[in-house]
Amino acid sequence: SRTTNTSNNIDEERTLRYRLLSTTSIEVYRNETGIAVSYEWQVIQLDGGRVQSGISTIPNGSNSISATISSVNLSNSFIILNSAAGAGVDGVETNHYAQASYASTTQVTFTRTGNSDTVDISWFALEMIDGTAVQSGKSDVSSASTSSTSSLTTVDTTKTMIVSSYQIEIGTVATSSQDSGTFSSFFLDSVTIQFDRFNAESNASTISWFAVQFQ
């Protein structure tokens, strides 16, 4: 999503939640209006995968929410999410940046650092059944660092993609934390993932990641 608005305290107005309404339509939804937002989307149908999906809301006053799924094989499963922040978030990224992970073979969990207002998470739990292999982990980024690395078993980087989500600690100015809470990811080599952010801003972060190697 993109907006030309430069205010720091209305970021929730550009957070969008996506879901499939039917075989031919999707819904794009936000919890607060006020600014114009343009967005791009892709719908990907994987013949070699099984997808479970849902919408989970982390309630006001809480840091996490879990959802029950049918059992999956964690060695070939990963999670993709998107989210819409509650109107009372008021631009504080710690309240709407959430990371996703498998708590078990039958449960997915979404965690944020803050607990003010709500965040609606639209999630997709994908289990690949065509020989695709998935590695996963978490990477902690210190409050003084703009990057972090995670090690993995050797992958073919020409066939592997990185899926990540993240939560962020509260910094000096809570509404100015987007450039310290948003990470890019890339393969430093065949056994290392590197995560980069633009600015540290005294904010620590936790990144949940999946390295998905296709056949």
Side-chain angles (χ1 to χ4, degrees):
S1 63
R2 298 184 300 275
T3 180
T4 58
N5 191 285
T6 59
S7 174
N8 288 331
N9 59 5
I10 58 171
D11 291 338
E12 66 278 358
E13 295 180 15
R14 59 163 291 273
T15 60
L16 305 175
R17 187 206 72 196
Y18 303 77
R19 66 170 175 170
L20 289 167
L21 289 180
S22 70
T23 58
T24 58
S25 65
I26 64 171
E27 176 189 63
V28 183
Y29 176 87
R30 60 178 174 176
N31 283 313
E32 184 179 10
T33 62
I35 60 174
V37 177
S38 50
Y39 58 90
E40 298 176 8
W41 55 270
Q42 298 85 36
V43 174
I44 303 170
Q45 179 172 303
L46 299 171
D47 291 337
R50 290 192 287 252
V51 181
Q52 301 179 63
S53 62
I55 295 177
S56 298
T57 299
I58 303 179
N60 183 38
S62 179
N63 299 105
S64 65
I65 191 76
S66 295
T68 300
I69 59 174
S70 299
S71 183
V72 298
N73 184 341
L74 297 182
S75 66
N76 55 20
S77 299
F78 60 103
I79 306 166
I80 295 176
L81 66 82
N82 53 78
S83 61
V89 164
D90 295 331
V92 180
E93 278 79 14
T94 185
N95 290 323
H96 71 87
Y97 277 27
Q99 53 144 322
S101 60
Y102 285 101
S104 69
T105 58
T106 58
Q107 190 175 66
V108 293
T109 298
F110 309 98
T111 307
R112 61 177 178 175
T113 302
N115 61 8
S116 295
D117 210 339
T118 62
V119 56
D120 298 329
I121 298 170
S122 178
W123 53 267
F124 302 85
L126 295 88
E127 180 181 21
M128 304 302 296
I129 56 174
D130 61 353
T132 294
V134 178
Q135 299 179 56
S136 63
K138 291 185 179 180
S139 183
D140 294 321
V141 186
S142 73
S143 60
S145 179
T146 57
S147 66
S148 177
T149 59
S150 284
S151 299
L152 64 161
T153 304
T154 303
V155 297
D156 182 346
T157 58
T158 67
K159 297 180 179 180
T160 308
M161 73 174 185
I162 303 166
V163 178
S164 63
S165 55
Y166 21 80
Q167 66 184 89
I168 183 174
E169 304 293 335
I170 297 175
T172 305
V173 182
T175 59
S176 300
S177 301
Q178 191 157 2
D179 56 354
S180 60
T182 307
F183 289 85
S184 64
S185 57
F186 61 94
F187 290 107
L188 193 62
D189 51 44
S190 62
V191 294
T192 312
I193 301 174
Q194 180 163 321
F195 302 95
D196 284 344
R197 60 181 175 180
F198 182 75
N199 201 343
E201 292 181 326
S202 300
N203 296 339
S205 291
T206 301
I207 302 165
S208 178
W209 57 266
F210 300 90
V212 183
Q213 180 169 299
F214 296 98
Q215 283 287 84

